[in-house]
Amino acid sequence: MGKLSTHVLDTAHGRPAAGVAIALYALEGDARKLLAEAATNADGRCDAPLLSGETMQAGRYELVFAAGDYFRAQGVALPDPPFVDRVTIAFGIADPSQNYHVPLVVTPWSYSTYRGS
């Protein structure tokens, strides 16, 4: 079986983003179901996969990262409301036997993602 993992990199400070709150939702039609909550460790990763084994299912998902809260905790002066606050990445898992790594590269003014391995 595959697994779902993530990694958050703070490119404004050039380091992994520790302490970012993350929520994972399954999308079922118009409904969202909370599947997992985690926070990144000192390496900017979660201590365990967000999905693995029998919880790794084909479908549509959202990862929501509390980027604004993270930058405030770093002492960054943000406007109110912040330009980048909650980053939501909507993605699909087509083959649950594969690994899906969904990293977030973020600053207070921008973000990007890609499918990693």
Side-chain angles (χ1 to χ4, degrees), residues 22-37 60-66 86-91:
I22 300 168
L24 172 66
Y25 295 90
L27 303 180
E28 300 167 356
D30 291 336
R32 293 168 80 205
K33 178 182 176 185
L34 180 64
L35 298 180
E37 293 180 297
R60 297 184 185 282
Y61 297 88
E62 284 182 354
L63 278 168
V64 180
F65 300 85
R86 300 259 181 230
V87 176
T88 301
I89 300 172
F91 64 99

Side-chain angles (χ1 to χ4, degrees), residues 45-59:
R45 301 174 187 272
C46 296
D47 289 330
L50 295 167
L51 296 174
S52 63
E54 60 192 45
T55 65
M56 183 72 170
Q57 301 288 321

